[in-house]
Structure formats: structure tokens, C-alpha cells
């Protein structure tokens, strides 16, 4: 297997040959010398390579850890690909003309060769330490966040001081002298995950969307080749972040910087696994290389204040700021998935103005938006505006609940950890799958359903789980992770492995997540089918649903782990409450029905008005109108009722055997008084009710139902609110001049109204929102809202603009307390907070907003 990977000497011979074959494209330069005397080489790749340093550039570093051979191997294959396709692939050709690629295939040559020839699992370089041990972890030897350690034998020993090593000082000198670098990738193994850079704060950065999108667009390229999807994860809260890495040093220089962890093993089977990793990364790197120019000074600037202008159940309005320019237009991207790509697949709009309305959306659905400015002349694009997350409003008959996992009822049970299984609940992450130490592990997640009414009808449901680490899933394309709804009477103890493993299920929910789709840092979800929603609905009577997450149950010979780790949001391993497992349910409730009899039934002829209701044409061919009205004050209280359906039920008493083209319309009208023929003839028509009926449709003398459409229901609702009377006119039409054709309608006319109890208006916003500092955290406090309908307060933080609604940022708190702490907020970073009140629908109030200014004293 090792002979399939190039040795360092073979790599240098290959690069020398490529330089000689393509002298205008490739230039190989040494940037330093290792302790064992090997050259550390950097390859410049660009059309007219002599001018490479004058163009914006992408830096690629590989194999900084000796045992992670993918970095060197991928670099060599990509250099070969670029040389062979430079004039064939127009996308690559354009990038090579505009930009430069700096590639250091192997930043740790000594360690790489030691790993190849002696100890495969060697990680560090090969310098001799002061106490006789060997090696420094080069990816802990950069200056940003450097932490000095005393244990020189540790795999993560970072050296005596930053840049103490020949390898790190060499790359530092190169980066410091090349301000044209805009993007940097540091290639590692293993994990199939991207780690964007951070500033040791657990808060969003202005360029966080750029890094996430860069990785997500590469994911789309992976999917085309292998179907794989890498995770995208900035890391744990600050205390758990690595220190002294190259990624953070490059980022500190203003470079968009990402670590790519490739594959599921440090040194995988070349033909079976490594080749696939290389094949998927070549087009992905090419795609990323195409973005280099967009982060240079030649690109338009980033859009300002990209935010929500408004929303309803089926549309979202977006607004932003940008100076008027004829040479600029804007591309809008939208997805329903976390950390999705921004490309042709997700582009939903191209506009020249500073606003955009996205229509025909699903109600009560989360959407993610971003935007970039594009120069019409050059085609260069700006960096992305920070992602805006918005949830569309509910339809009239809808409610939703975001139900978080019950803390004490959520954990995992291991086959070989029976005595410890009780401690795995509430304060640990979920381990799901199988490994040699724990055996089979099942996740158990309890969801309390007592907030869902017993008469609820579930319309849709998604179960969300946040994957925090997939390094333990070491086998490519092996196994899948399933969500099952357990039968509550098939087990008695959720902490007992045998009972949970053998519990009966009501069914598997959603689509299984296959191993190649496992991610880290991107929400996984299982979307329920109609049948699965019905299964969940039956659990409402029990006030609880218990789910099991299953992974693989066996391991192939020679393998030790296929284990996935998910967050539960609690304990020292959790990322905070916003990462708790969650069930997102959209539902309606069983409708109630009321029948209203007509208050007035009359017939309006040309010369008179009579009781009873008729319509048609008189002996002279003049229209005869039927008029009826209803006292809708009998409907339930408007503020707590939503009309879902309405129909006029009416039938005729007589028919005509002759065939004629007469049709009868029912019109919703606005008229002050119905005294004369002219009052009806000159009425203000609001809308037709349902569809017209032909005279032939009346032969059976059956009830006709004229159903109110959306506009008619809105008009009815407004009349109800304003205390008006519902007025309808039955109008005949015919193109043929018919005479003596009058239909007599039966007087048992009824208005059938279906409705649901639902509060319409949100609660008032909180008052006296204040910021203070307490227990080394930012504290928010506000006055209590005294209203029986209050279900709680929802607190959101946004690093870039005032949160416009409850999903527009990071959730900090949800509950009935009148204060909360922002556990992960930095004192040094400006940010915005909003507090919303919400009821049981939930309707969310207008935000109470406050800005945190790090320069102020609190």
C-alpha cells in the first residue's frame, strides 16, 4: 500500500519534471530546509507564472502532520490535473489567467518520510527536543493561541515557542511576504469535515458565511463524484479549540482559511478509498480556486445590512444597503438546509434594486438567505453577506412547536457499558453506532408532547440532530443511521441497553442517513412522511414520544469503530442549548362548525322588491336578482378564532326542461341598503363565491355549495371583525337574451362556516430591556409581561444587525424567566439582542432590541 503513495523524493522528481514540461505554468521554489536537510518546496501555478505574485492567490498546504498522506498526494494530482487541463477546461483556464495557486504539497517532509519508512502513525516533525525526545506538532507551533506544553512526548507538543520550527517559520515567511493570498486550505486527514478558521470566540464572524459557502460549494462537487458530503464545523466553544494552528495564523492575516480533513483514516487503502477522496477533491479545489479573485481588491465590496424586510406564510422580503451603481447587480441565494451551497442550484434571484421578494414558499418553514454583489463588466463577485435565517409565517389554520429533547430522557446506551449507561443521560453527547470498547450504542431521545393539543392533526414534522464529531466513523460507505419511533409499552427502562435494543418500533421515520452523508457541524434531519406524521400523532395521547437512533451493529474484520457522536446541548461536551435535539412540528386542529341561517331573503326585480329568493330573467328579459344576508356576529370571538372554510349551501325548487345557456353566480357585495333595483345593479362587487352553476346543474334539485376562496374568506373575516353583515347576490347571466326564466330558490339557505380556536394577535413586547455583566457573562434582563396568554420569552443574538424575528440569529434562551445569560458571548465584540414574547400558537411579539457595545461600561 505504501508504494502506491509517492515518497518525498519521488514527489520532488515529479515536480521537477512538471516544471520542465510546463515552464510557463509551473515554478518550483524551495522556501526552507528541514532539520534532516530536506527542501521544503512550494509550487507556483499560474498562466505566465513569472507574474504569479502579481495576482490574487490561493495557498494550499498539505501533510503538516506526518501520517496524513492525503495532503501530499492530492497536491501532486491536482498539479497534474491543472497542467493537463489548463487549455481544455474554460473555468480552470479563466482562474489560471486571473489568479495564482501556491501549493506546498508536504510541509513536514522529515515526518512524512519517517511515517512512510518506520512508524506509520507518526504525527510530528523530527527535530530533537532538549530532553532527547523527538518532534513538534507543527500545527500547534504557530503564534495565534499558542500554548506552551511541558510534555514533549505528547502528539500535540507545540514546541518551545511559536515558529521555533524550520517548517513553520518557512511558511510564515512566505505568507508574510505575499499579501496577494486571499484563500488558504490546509489539508489533513481524517474525518471528512471542513474546519473554517475562528477567532477563539463562539460567535459568528463577518466572513463566516464566506468560509461556510466555500466549503458547501465544494460539497456539491463531492456529491457529483462520490455522493459524499463533508461536515462544516468551526469547532467547540473557545475552551475546546485547538491552539497554535496554521489555519488561525493565516486567518489573522486576513485570509479566508479552512482546514480540510479528508477520508476516514489517516492512511486509507489507496485504490479503495484514497483514489475516491482525490477524485472528489480535484473538482472541488478547482471550484474553490475560482473564488480567489472574488476576495481580492478587484472584487465589489460586500453588501451591507442584509436583513428581513417582511414575511408572510408564502413569501419573504429581503432588503439591504448598497450605493446606486449601474455596473452592479445582486445574486440572491436561498436554501432550506443549514450550511448549503450558494451556486446555480440555490440561486433564486438576480436583481438590480436593493430589495427582493421571494414567493411561493412553504408556510412555517426555515429558509437561509445570503447575497453577493456582481460587477457586470468583470463578472467578479463580492464576498457574501452574513446568512439571514427566517421562518415563514403560519397559514391561518396552522400552529407549530419546536420541542426540544427532554434532558433526563436523552442519552445513549452501550452494549458493553451497562453499569455506566444511566450516566450517559442528560450530561453527555450521543454516541451511536458500534466500536470495540462500547459495543453497539443506541441513542435515546425523549420528546414531551404535552404542549400539543389532543385534537392536533400533524401536517409535517422534522427531527433535527446536531452531529458534533464523526472521526469515530472510520469505514467508508459502511452502514446507515436510522430514526425509529418506539412503542412505549415494549420497554420499561430507557437506560437499559437490552431493552432499548430489542424494543418494538412503530416504524422508521424519515430517510436513513448513509455513512457518506454523515456530517459534522451541519444539522442532520429526518423528514417525516404523511404516514409517519400519523404515527407520531398517535403518541400525543401519551404526552411523549421516544425515539431511538440506530447505527451499524457489526464491524468488519480488522476495523475498530463506526461510531458517530451527536450533540445534546447539555454538559461540558455540549455546544449550548441551541444544539439540543429538536422536533419541529407543524399542525392544525380539528375544525368546529357552525351553520347560520339567512337573515334576509329577497328578490329584486326592475320595478319591485319581494320576499323569497328568486333569480333569472323576467318577461321582458330584465335580470332578476336574488339577495340574501347573514348576521355573522353569531360567529365566535374574532380575536380567538380563525375561519378555515366557508360555503353557501342553497338548492332550487323548480327547473326548466328547455335547454338554454343560463348560469347563476353568487357575488359577495358591499352595499349600504338594498332598496331598489339600481342599488343592486350598481353594487360594489368584492368577489365571486365559488364557481357558477348552469341551469342544467339544477335539474336534480340537489344542494349547491358555493365555496369561499381565499379573498372571500379574508373579506368575511374583515366583516366579522368590523361587525358588518355578510351580503350576497345571486346574479343570472346569459348571452342569448332569455325571457321568462326565473329560478325559485328554497328558503333553507345556510352559511356553513368551519373554524378553529386560535389566538390571532401577538402579546405586547417586553419593556425595560437592559444589559449588564455578571459571573463573567453578559446578562439580559427585562420586565415581566402580565398576560395569561404568555407562553414564554425567546432571546436571540445577532452579530451583524438587529434581529427582526425569532429565527434571525442564535437562540440564547427560551422560557418564562425575565433574565438570561449569554454563556458564550465575547465582551470584546459588538452584537445585537432581541427579546420576543410568544403565546401558544406561537405568535411572536415585536422585538425588544438592545445593542451591546464593548466600549461601554455595563
Amino acid at each position: 500500500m505504501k508504494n502506491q503513495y509517492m515518497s518525498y523524493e519521488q514527489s520532488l522528481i515529479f515536480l521537477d519534471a512538471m516544471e520542465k514540461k510546463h515552464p510557463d505554468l509551473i515554478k518550483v521554489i524551495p522556501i526552507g530546509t528541514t532539520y534532516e536537510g530536506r527542501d521544503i518546496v512550494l509550487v507556483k501555478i499560474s498562466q505566465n507564472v513569472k507574474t504569479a505574485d502579481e495576482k490574487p492567490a490561493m495557498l494550499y498546504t498539505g501533510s503538516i502532520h506526518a501520517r496524513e498522506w492525503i495532503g501530499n498526494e492530492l497536491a501532486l494530482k491536482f498539479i497534474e490535473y491543472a497542467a493537463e487541463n489548463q487549455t481544455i477546461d474554460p473555468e480552470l483556464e479563466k482562474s489560471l489567467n486571473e489568479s495564482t495557486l501556491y501549493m506546498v504539497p508536504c510541509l513536514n517532509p522529515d515526518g512524512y518520510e519517517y511515517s512512510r519508512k518506520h512508524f506509520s502513525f507518526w504525527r510530528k516533525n523530527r527535530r530533537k527536543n532538549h530532553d532527547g525526545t523527538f518532534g513538534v506538532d507543527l500545527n500547534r507551533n504557530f503564534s495565534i493561541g499558542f500554548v506552551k506544553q511541558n510534555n514533549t512526548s505528547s502528539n500535540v507538543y507545540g514546541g518551545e515557542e511559536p515558529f521555533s520550527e524550520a517548517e513553520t517559520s518557512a511558511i510564515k515567511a512566505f505568507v508574510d511576504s505575499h499579501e496577494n493570498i486571499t484563500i488558504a486550505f490546509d489539508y489533513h486527514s481524517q474525518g471528512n469535515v471542513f474546519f473554517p478558521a475562528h477567532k477563539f470566540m463562539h460567535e459568528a464572524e463577518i466572513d463566516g458565511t464566506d468560509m461556510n459557502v466555500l466549503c458547501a460549494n465544494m460539497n456539491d462537487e463531492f456529491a457529483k463524484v462520490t455522493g459524499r458530503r463533508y461536515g462544516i464545523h468551526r469547532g467547540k466553544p473557545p475552551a475546546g479549540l485547538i491552539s497554535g494552528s496554521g489555519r488561525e495564523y493565516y486567518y489573522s492575516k486576513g485570509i479566508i482559511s479552512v482546514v480540510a480533513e479528508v477520508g476516514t483514516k489517516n492512511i486509507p487503502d489507496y485504490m479503495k478509498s484514497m483514489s475516491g477522496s482525490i477524485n472528489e477533491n480535484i473538482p472541488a479545489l478547482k471550484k474553490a480556486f475560482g473564488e480567489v479573485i472574488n476576495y481580492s481588491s478587484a472584487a465589489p465590496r460586500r453588501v451591507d445590512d442584509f436583513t428581513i424586510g417582511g414575511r408572510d406564510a408564502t413569501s419573504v422580503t429581503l432588503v439591504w444597503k448598497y450605493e446606486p451603481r449601474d455596473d452592479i447587480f445582486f445574486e440572491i441565494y436561498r436554501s432550506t438546509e443549514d450550511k448549503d451551497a450558494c451556486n446555480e442550484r440555490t440561486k433564486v434571484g438576480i436583481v438590480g434594486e436593493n430589495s427582493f421578494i421571494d414567493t411561493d414558499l412553504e408556510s412555517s418553514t426555515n429558509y437561509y438567505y445570503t447575497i453577493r454583489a456582481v460587477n457586470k463588466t468583470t463578472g467578479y463577485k463580492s464576498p457574501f453577506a452574513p446568512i439571514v435565517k427566517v421562518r415563514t409565517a403560519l397559514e391561518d389554520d396552522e400552529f407549530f412547536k419546536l420541542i426540544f429533547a427532554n434532558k433526563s430522557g436523552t442519552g445513549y446506551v452501550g452494549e458493553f457499558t451497562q453499569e455506566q449507561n444511566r450516566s450517559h443521560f442528560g450530561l453527555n453527547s450521543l454516541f451511536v453506532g458500534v466500536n470495540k470498547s462500547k459495543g453497539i450504542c443506541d441513542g435515546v431521545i425523549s420528546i414531551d408532547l404535552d404542549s400539543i393539543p389532543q385534537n392536533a392533526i400533524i401536517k409535517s414534522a422534522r427531527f433535527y440532530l446536531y452531529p458534533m464529531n464523526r472521526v469515530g466513523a472510520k469505514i467508508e460507505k459502511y452502514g446507515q443511521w436510522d430514526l425509529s419511533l418506539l412503542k412505549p409499552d415494549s420497554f420499561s427502562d430507557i437506560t437499559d441497553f437490552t431493552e432499548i435494543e430489542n424494543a418494538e418500533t412503530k416504524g422508521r421515520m424519515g430517510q436513513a442517513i448513509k455513512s457518506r452523508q454523515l456530517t459534522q457541524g451541519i444539522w442532520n434531519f429526518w423528514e417525516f412522511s404523511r404516514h409517519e406524521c400519523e404515527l407520531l400523532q398517535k403518541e400525543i395521547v401519551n404526552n411523549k414520544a421516544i425515539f431511538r437512533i440506530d447505527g451499524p451493529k457489526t464491524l468488519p474484520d480488522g476495523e475498530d469503530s463506526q461510531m458517530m457522536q451527536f450533540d445534546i446541548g447539555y454538559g461540558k461536551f455540549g455546544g449550548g442549548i441551541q444544539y439540543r435535539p429538536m422536533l419541529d412540528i407543524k399542525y392544525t386542529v380539528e375544525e368546529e362548525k357552525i351553520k347560520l341561517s339567512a337573515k334576509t331573503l329577497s328578490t329584486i326585480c326592475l320595478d319591485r322588491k319581494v320576499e323569497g329568493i328568486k333569480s333569472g330573467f323576467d318577461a321582458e328579459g330584465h335580470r332578476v336578482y336574488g339577495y340574501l344576508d347573514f348576521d355573522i356576529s353569531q360567529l365566535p370571538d374574532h380575536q380567538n378564532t380563525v375561519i378555515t372554510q366557508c360555503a353557501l349551501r342553497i338548492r332550487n325548487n323548480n327547473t326548466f326542461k328547455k335547454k338554454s345557456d343560463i348560469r347563476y353566480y353568487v357575488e359577495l357585495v358591499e352595499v349600504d341598503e338594498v332598496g331598489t333595483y339600481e342599488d343592486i345593479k350598481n353594487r360594489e362587487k368584492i368577489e365571486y363565491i365559488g364557481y357558477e352553476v348552469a341551469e342544467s346543474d339544477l335539474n336534480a334539485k340537489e344542494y349547491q355549495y358555493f365555496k369561499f376562496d381565499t379573498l372571500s374568506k379574508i373579506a368575511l373575516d374583515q366583516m366579522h371583525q368590523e361587525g358588518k353583515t355578510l351580503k350576497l347576490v345571486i346574479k343570472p347571466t346569459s348571452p342569448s337574451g332569455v325571457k321568462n326564466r326565473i329560478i325559485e330558490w328554497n328558503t333553507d339557505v345556510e352559511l356553513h362556516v368551519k373554524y378553529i380556536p386560535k389566538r390571532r394577535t401577538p402579546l405586547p413586547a417586553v419593556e425595560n430591556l437592559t444589559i449588564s455583566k455578571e459571573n463573567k457573562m453578559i446578562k439580559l434582563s427585562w420586565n415581566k409581561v402580565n398576560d395569561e396568554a404568555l407562553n414564554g420569552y425567546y432571546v436571540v443574538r445577532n452579530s451583524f444587525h438587529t434581529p427582526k424575528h425569532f429565527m434571525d440569529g442564535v437562540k440564547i434562551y427560551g422560557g418564562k424567566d425575565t433574565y438570561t445569560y449569554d454563556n458564550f458571548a465575547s465582551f470584546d465584540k459588538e452584537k445585537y439582542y432581541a427579546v420576543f414574547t410568544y403565546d401558544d400558537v406561537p405568535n411572536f411579539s415585536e422585538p425588544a432590541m438592545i445593542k451591546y457595545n464593548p466600549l461601554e461600561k455595563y
Side-chain angles (χ1 to χ4, degrees), residues 578-592:
Q578 66 267 34
Y579 295 108
R580 290 176 292 175
M582 176 178 63
L583 186 61
D584 185 341
I585 297 178
K586 179 169 68 175
Y587 66 96
T588 186
V589 294
E590 295 175 4
E591 296 169 314
E592 300 181 32

Side-chain angles (χ1 to χ4, degrees), residues 34-36 38 64 66 108-115 118-119 122-129 132-138 165 167:
T34 69
Y35 291 99
E36 294 181 349
R38 294 182 175 88
I64 192 171
N108 185 3
D110 293 350
Y112 179 75
E113 281 303 299
Y114 188 76
S115 173
H118 180 63
F119 176 29
W122 187 256
R123 172 184 169 99
K124 301 185 285 184
N125 71 352
R126 290 298 298 163
R127 75 95 46 88
K128 189 174 182 179
N129 296 317
T133 61
F134 280 86
V136 168
D137 181 349
L138 297 176
E165 307 308 297
E167 299 88 347

Side-chain angles (χ1 to χ4, degrees), residues 430-434 440-445 463 465 478-486 500-501 505 507-515 517-518 524-528 532 546-553 562 564 566:
L430 298 179
F431 288 92
V432 181
V434 59
I440 299 169
C441 290
D442 297 332
V444 181
I445 300 175
F463 184 90
L465 201 57
Y478 181 77
Q480 64 185 35
W481 279 254
D482 291 291
L483 177 73
S484 300
L485 179 62
L486 299 184
I500 292 299
E501 175 69 9
T505 70
R508 289 183 174 176
M509 315 295 277
Q511 294 292 316
I513 297 173
K514 298 183 182 300
S515 61
Q517 299 167 320
L518 281 177
N524 288 151
F525 64 85
W526 289 263
E527 186 157 12
F528 296 3
E532 290 158 356
I546 298 179
F547 296 93
R548 183 180 68 205
I549 311 286
D550 291 273
K553 306 289 186 183
Q562 192 70 345
M564 187 67 195
F566 299 96

Side-chain angles (χ1 to χ4, degrees), residues 427 570-574:
L427 291 174
Y570 298 104
K572 63 180 181 180
F573 300 109

Side-chain angles (χ1 to χ4, degrees), residues 293-295 299-300 331 333 347 372-375 379-383:
I293 193 74
N294 296 326
Y295 291 93
E331 293 180 342
Y333 300 88
K347 185 164 64 178
R372 67 194 319 188
V374 184
N375 187 294
Y380 300 159
K381 302 183 179 185
S382 76

Side-chain angles (χ1 to χ4, degrees), residues 404 576-578 580 780 782 791-797 806 809-823 833-838 844:
F404 298 96
I577 62 171
Q578 66 267 34
R580 290 176 292 175
L780 301 170
W782 56 90
N791 219 33
Y793 307 97
Y794 203 99
V795 184
V796 177
R797 180 226 299 150
F806 76 102
V810 175
K811 178 185 177 183
I812 302 301
Y813 173 74
K816 291 192 174 182
D817 290 334
T818 57
Y819 68 92
T820 190
Y821 294 93
D822 190 352
N823 295 8
Y833 292 95
V835 180
F836 302 83
T837 59
Y838 63 95
F844 286 84

Side-chain angles (χ1 to χ4, degrees), residues 98-117:
E98 295 174 338
S99 308
T100 294
L101 186 62
Y102 296 134
M103 300 195 80
V104 183
C106 181
L107 194 54
N108 185 3
D110 293 350
Y112 179 75
E113 281 303 299
Y114 188 76
S115 173
R116 284 179 49 78
K117 295 176 181 178

